[in-house]
Amino acid sequence: MPMSESLKSHRVRTSAQRDVVEGDAIWEPVRSLWLSAMLAGASIGGALTFSWAAFAIFVFSTAAVLLLGHSLGMHRKLIHDSYGCPKWLEYFLVYCGVLVGLSGPWGLLRTHDLRDYAQRLPDCHDFLAHRRPFWQDAWWQLHCELRLRRPPDIRIEARIANDPVYRFLQRTWMLQQLPWALLLFWLGGWGFVFWGVCARVAAGVCGHWLVGYFAHNHGGMRHEVRDACVQGRNVRFVSLLTMGESWHNNHHAFPGSAKLGLYPGEWDPGWWLLKALERLGLVWDLRLPEHLPHRPELAVVPPPPHAPRRALAKSLRTAPPP
């Protein structure tokens, strides 16, 4: 069955579905050793140098890079361009996203777009679907890379591919931790480094995988993308920890929306900050589901039959337009 136009990615070019099915998950030494070093620094170094001040730096810095960087910078702006802002603010937010420790801007964009594209097809590789058992998926996602036999061509638009700032951040994304490590060492010694860099990166990388695993295997659904091999799930209990990114079923339904928590009670700190920045005149053109093209393959999943009638009625009244 051919894909609907609304399902296609403007960055991914491929001629056959097998391009995202046939391949192998191979150990990737640089990525694996990077994470292993951060985990060792966090677990061993962090345990030996624990202090409440160091732990406070970990909590604050992790929340800051996840909110400003991963959610607003990398995901809602760089990948989906779901709002407008000054270029200096875009650079700052994407830089914060690099500090999460997952990848550079190009690497994260390519990884996201390949997975997003593949999940909308009738079938894709288990690596892209988070389809294998928990610990195998952890090994694959955290220590391996998927090498497809015929990888699709992912073409990054010129505004990103030709940008010298993004080129620099892509080349140096691991080294971007070094200035902060030096500053933290000057402020508080190795304890601040282990907690403010190693523990932060380890939590960001492992947390990103963990939420991704649950968001594709467990959780509620309000929408279904027909004929897609993978459906997103809403993981309610981590909505604050992920800055709203865990409303993944909503995101699968309306990927271009700057707002991810679409229904009453769905907390979305990323959206709250965007609205605050809008009032300050720093962001504009916030896209919502009603601003996106109609998707004929999108269906509403009825609320569970045991839900109270009042909750059912409220859910149906507040549902975003298809």
Side-chain angles (χ1 to χ4, degrees):
M1 177 180 295
M3 286 183 68
S4 161
E5 287 298 320
S6 62
L7 281 178
K8 294 181 180 178
S9 169
H10 69 281
R11 297 190 184 104
V12 181
R13 271 72 171 179
T14 184
S15 58
Q17 181 178 311
R18 67 176 181 271
D19 290 355
V20 296
V21 174
E22 299 175 358
D24 300 291
I26 305 296
W27 181 62
E28 206 291 295
V30 173
R31 182 182 181 187
S32 179
L33 292 174
W34 164 255
L35 177 59
S36 298
M38 293 298 164
L39 286 169
S43 57
I44 300 174
L48 293 174
T49 60
F50 176 82
S51 69
W52 287 111
F55 182 74
I57 288 175
F58 161 73
V59 172
F60 176 79
S61 62
T62 301
V65 298
L66 290 179
L67 175 58
L68 297 172
H70 180 68
S71 185
L72 265 61
M74 288 291 197
H75 195 204
R76 305 192 205 204
K77 180 55 183 174
L78 187 73
I79 293 173
H80 292 288
D81 200 22
S82 63
Y83 62 90
C85 69
K87 199 66 177 179
W88 66 264
L89 180 57
E90 179 182 331
Y91 285 150
F92 170 72
L93 295 174
V94 172
Y95 167 72
C96 290
V98 169
L99 292 180
V100 175
L102 286 163
S103 178
W106 292 356
L108 197 63
L109 189 152
R110 289 178 181 275
T111 299
H112 175 281
D113 272 33
L114 176 61
R115 189 183 301 274
D116 186 61
Y117 173 83
Q119 289 177 354
R120 301 179 188 190
L121 293 169
D123 193 17
C124 69
H125 195 283
D126 287 352
F127 182 100
L128 298 170
H130 291 278
R131 198 179 286 141
R132 291 299 178 93
F134 182 85
W135 290 112
Q136 183 177 359
D137 191 69
W139 169 252
W140 273 11
Q141 305 295 335
L142 297 175
H143 296 278
C144 300
E145 67 176 5
L146 176 62
R147 297 183 184 173
L148 294 167
R149 292 182 176 84
R150 293 177 51 188
D153 180 22
I154 301 178
R155 302 178 187 177
I156 301 175
E157 55 266 44
R159 75 173 181 88
I160 299 173
N162 298 334
D163 191 298
V165 174
Y166 293 146
R167 286 179 178 271
F168 173 72
L169 291 176
Q170 181 61 38
R171 290 195 306 268
T172 63
W173 66 272
M174 289 185 183
L175 294 176
Q176 295 302 322
Q177 307 294 340
L178 184 58
W180 292 100
L182 294 174
L183 175 63
L184 290 171
F185 182 79
W186 179 71
L187 290 173
W190 283 109
F192 278 26
V193 176
F194 288 136
W195 283 95
V197 175
C198 298
R200 169 177 54 76
V201 171
V205 174
C206 293
H208 182 266
W209 159 70
L210 187 62
V211 173
Y213 175 83
F214 280 97
H216 292 98
N217 290 282
H218 307 282
M221 291 176 56
R222 292 184 180 270
H223 305 274
E224 177 185 2
V225 181
R226 298 189 186 96
D227 299 319
C229 62
V230 180
Q231 302 293 329
R233 306 281 180 156
N234 287 332
V235 189
R236 176 175 295 275
F237 67 94
V238 290
S239 61
L240 288 179
L241 292 175
T242 63
M243 308 304 164
E245 295 291 326
S246 66
W247 303 116
H248 205 59
N249 180 255
N250 298 349
H251 181 60
H252 270 227
F254 307 104
S257 175
K259 185 179 183 181
L260 302 182
L262 299 176
Y263 296 87
E266 294 183 347
W267 293 353
D268 185 355
W271 175 251
W272 301 341
L273 181 55
L274 283 175
K275 291 298 291 182
L277 293 173
E278 183 185 41
R279 285 192 286 271
L280 294 173
L282 291 175
V283 305
W284 52 82
D285 294 337
L286 294 167
R287 285 197 292 169
L288 295 170
E290 56 263 33
H291 303 142
L292 304 177
H294 173 64
R295 299 178 62 184
E297 63 283 330
L298 189 63
V300 175
V301 176
H306 60 271
R309 291 186 178 181
R310 182 175 299 176
L312 290 176
K314 185 175 183 181
S315 176
L316 293 174
R317 284 198 309 271
T318 57

